[in-house]
Structures are given as C-alpha cells and as structure tokens.
Amino acid sequence: MKLDRKEILKALETISIAGEGKNMVESGAVANVITFGDEVVVDLVLHTPAMHIKKRAEDDIKKTIHELVSPEAKVKVNTKVEVADKPEIKGKAIPGIKNIIAVASGKGGVGKSTTTANLAVSLARMGFSVGVLDADIYGPSMPIMFDVENEKPISIEVDGKSKMKPIESYEIKILSIGFFTSPSQAVIWRGPMAAKALNQMIFDADWGELDFLLIDLPPGTGDIHLSIMQSLPITGAVVVSTPQAVALADAKKGVAMFLSEAINVPVLGIIENMAYFTPEELPKNKYYIFGQEGAKNLATDLNVPFLGEVPIVQSIREAGDYGRPAAMQEGSVIESVFQEITRNVVQQTVARNESLPATEAIKITTMAGCSAVKK
C-alpha cells in the first residue's frame, strides 16, 4: 500500500487547531508531509506551548488519516512549538520624567501611603517637580491624603492625542483609580484589568516635566508590582516597614523582590515608620511600642541604606485624614523628620544615577520571577 501525499493534505484540511479559525493546512501549522509506502510523517508547527493543545492536534491528525485515508497507515507527528514574539508595548520611558521611585512595603498597614504623601510634599517644598501615581488599585488613599477625593481628571489634547490631566494639590500632580470610582465602590478586578488601568494612568496622562514620580505600590509582592516594573524603568525602590518582626519579615521579602535577578531594581533604602512614641507632655521619653530599630537592623543585614525613622505622632494621622500631609507643618518635629528622610532619598537617587546604568523595564516570561522556580 502506498499513501498519497495530496490525499493526506486534503484530509488534514478538515482539522483546525484549538484557538485558530483556519484549518491546520491553510494556517501553515502543517509544515510538511512525507510518505514512505504505508508510513506518513507530519511536521507540525504550533504557536502555543499548551500541552493539551499539542496532544489534541496530534491525536486529531492520526485519527483523521486513519478515518479518511487508510486505517492501516503508520502515522508519526513531529511537533515543534514556536511562540511568536508579542509586540513590545510596555517598558517605555515617559518623556520628561527624570526619576521614578517605587514606594513599597511587604505588609499592609505600615504607613506606606502616608510616607509616600509626605515624601512628595517634602520634595515639592525643596523645589522639585513631583508627581504621585497611586498604584494601590484596591485601596487607593491618595485622593483623601491630598484632599481631592471629589475631583475628576479632565481630558486634554496634547500633540493631537487625548490625555488625562492629573489632579494637582500642593503643587503635586496626582493620579489614582480613586478618582474614577465612588468612595463606597469596591474595585473587584482580576490582575489583567488592574494592569490595564495602571498602564492607562501611566501612559495616557499628561505628566509634563517631573523630577520625581513616586509610585505608591500596594502591599506585598504580586501582580501589580510586576505590571509596574514591566511597564516602566524604575529608578529605585524605597521600602517602608515598622519595627516589629511580622512587618520586618515581609519587608525583607519586598527588598528581595526588587533585588532578585528577574527584577533587578536598585533599593534606595528602608524607612522605619512608627519607630517610637513620645508623649507631648514627656518630650524626652521614647516608648518603642513595636520594637526598637528593627528596620534599621534589617537595612544593615541586607546591606541597603537606612533612610530614617518616623515616630508615632497623632498629627501625622490627623493630617492624612484631613488631606494636608504632616510634613507641611512648618517648624514641627514631623517637618524636620521628613526633610531628613527626603534628603536621604534624593542623595541615594543621585548616587544611584551616578554609579549605575538606567534601569530597564523587565521582560517577564511565564516562569521568570517566580521564587519557587529554579532556573
């Protein structure tokens, strides 16, 4: 028995691969068909690495040849997977923005957003042009902290393109998902939707000329963090932690994420928040409610800079709730605390830019960046 190559190709035209509209011959998935008497070899090229699609295609080829050509045919399928390169739409720098600083924490509730807001106003008071991107999609707080929760960004035309105009407060440009949802509305989105919303706020906004764009990241080391670092070349990261062991364990993971081989973002340093409590009537007393110098010691252990400590002061919380960051309180202890921390952040940024090349936006494959996977 001799098999006919044309008859086999005609039979394969009745099969399509899952997810593709055309049959496997028309789509080019069948690269070649070779016959040797009662033997046939089909070279198959797939554009998806999914094992179930590969097995289904191979089974369909064998079954179809047996049914439409010859039940005695000896069929062999050689499958090659070629995943097409996706067009690179991420990883673009934003023209006009000199430094992009990610403010992160491994654990929630350590005061990361409060620290970001106070860093922003301190930078602005030093004469820098500053923007804040509230990337905490599920718990945006910047609109409250800057007293602009009822504001809505407007659309403007820039170079023939429609752009979002960030909300301005205290000379700081701000964008947050909180501007687009009602205060009582929960954002119930999967990762891809959240990432798309962030990309729009990053690239479809008219940020103008900025010395610093601070990105207030959500707690943890998850999907939003990867999306941000895929989208933008981050200059460096600042990690916020409280002194207690539970927070330090998570802060350590946060630092490890940025320094990992897959991410490779310089860590500018660690800030210790809620470092101690000093009663107003006993200004010389310090009570270390959450432990003493935990974040400072962690910075030493991880060989990253320690940027400073922020005490527990009631006015910091009150100022955040009233929409006027505490670092704006002239002549106060809090103003001087955040001035020192901000100077350290600027100093570390300058040193980083002088000694290291510009950070590249990361390209994450299916498994890269997963700590459970060994390369």
Side-chain angles (χ1 to χ4, degrees), residues 30-100:
V30 175
N32 197 14
V33 174
I34 304 173
T35 59
F36 304 94
D38 64 347
E39 296 181 10
V40 57
V41 179
V42 178
D43 291 331
L44 186 67
V45 178
L46 298 179
H47 298 295
T48 173
M51 289 300 295
H52 69 282
I53 291 179
K54 174 178 179 289
K55 187 176 186 309
R56 169 77 180 275
E58 291 173 351
D59 290 346
D60 284 350
I61 288 171
K62 293 175 182 177
K63 182 181 177 182
T64 301
I65 292 175
H66 287 151
E67 288 181 351
L68 300 182
V69 180
S70 170
E72 298 177 4
K74 298 174 183 175
V75 184
K76 181 181 179 183
V77 182
N78 295 325
T79 305
K80 183 180 180 182
V81 177
E82 292 181 352
V83 180
D85 291 333
K86 295 181 180 179
E88 191 62 43
I89 59 173
K90 295 182 178 180
K92 300 179 292 184
I94 306 177
I97 299 181
K98 296 177 183 176
N99 299 288
I100 303 175

Side-chain angles (χ1 to χ4, degrees), residues 256-288:
M257 174 188 71
F258 288 113
L259 296 181
S260 68
E261 188 177 343
I263 306 297
N264 195 28
V265 169
V267 175
L268 302 177
I270 297 176
I271 297 173
E272 182 171 278
N273 194 28
M274 307 183 204
Y276 57 85
F277 172 65
T278 297
E280 189 174 350
E281 63 276 13
L282 298 170
K284 294 183 180 180
N285 290 26
K286 291 184 179 181
Y287 298 95
Y288 297 94

Side-chain angles (χ1 to χ4, degrees), residues 69-279:
V69 180
S70 170
E72 298 177 4
K74 298 174 183 175
V75 184
K76 181 181 179 183
V77 182
N78 295 325
T79 305
K80 183 180 180 182
V81 177
E82 292 181 352
V83 180
D85 291 333
K86 295 181 180 179
E88 191 62 43
I89 59 173
K90 295 182 178 180
K92 300 179 292 184
I94 306 177
I97 299 181
K98 296 177 183 176
N99 299 288
I100 303 175
I101 309 297
V103 184
S105 68
K107 184 179 180 298
V110 298
K112 169 187 51 59
S113 295
T114 300
T115 301
T116 303
N118 282 288
L119 281 175
V121 296
S122 296
L123 284 166
R125 288 163 74 87
M126 289 178 182
F128 295 107
S129 52
V130 185
V132 174
L133 173 65
D134 189 353
D136 194 349
I137 293 289
Y138 306 107
S141 52
M142 287 302 155
I144 295 174
M145 292 189 174
F146 283 93
D147 195 24
V148 287
E149 55 187 320
N150 294 319
E151 300 287 337
K152 301 291 180 188
I154 61 171
S155 178
I156 60 173
E157 190 170 306
V158 180
D159 297 329
K161 295 181 180 179
S162 180
K163 296 273 189 179
M164 279 186 289
K165 181 176 171 48
I167 300 299
E168 291 198 31
S169 179
Y170 310 125
E171 300 183 358
I172 296 163
K173 297 179 181 179
I174 308 159
L175 273 182
S176 168
I177 200 67
F179 293 137
F180 306 97
T181 59
S182 67
S184 60
Q185 179 184 349
V187 178
I188 309 172
W189 289 348
R190 292 189 183 275
M193 284 186 68
K196 185 177 180 181
L198 278 173
N199 267 313
Q200 286 182 320
M201 286 197 292
I202 292 168
F203 295 112
D204 294 344
D206 178 31
W207 289 104
E209 298 287 329
L210 293 181
D211 294 310
F212 289 92
L213 175 64
L214 303 184
I215 302 181
D216 183 30
L217 291 173
T221 55
D223 193 50
I224 298 297
H225 303 73
L226 295 180
S227 296
I228 287 287
M229 287 177 283
Q230 278 182 290
S231 300
L232 290 170
I234 305 295
T235 306
V238 170
V239 177
V240 180
S241 179
T242 48
Q244 76 265 42
V246 173
L248 293 172
D250 290 336
K252 189 174 183 179
K253 293 174 186 176
V255 173
M257 174 188 71
F258 288 113
L259 296 181
S260 68
E261 188 177 343
I263 306 297
N264 195 28
V265 169
V267 175
L268 302 177
I270 297 176
I271 297 173
E272 182 171 278
N273 194 28
M274 307 183 204
Y276 57 85
F277 172 65
T278 297

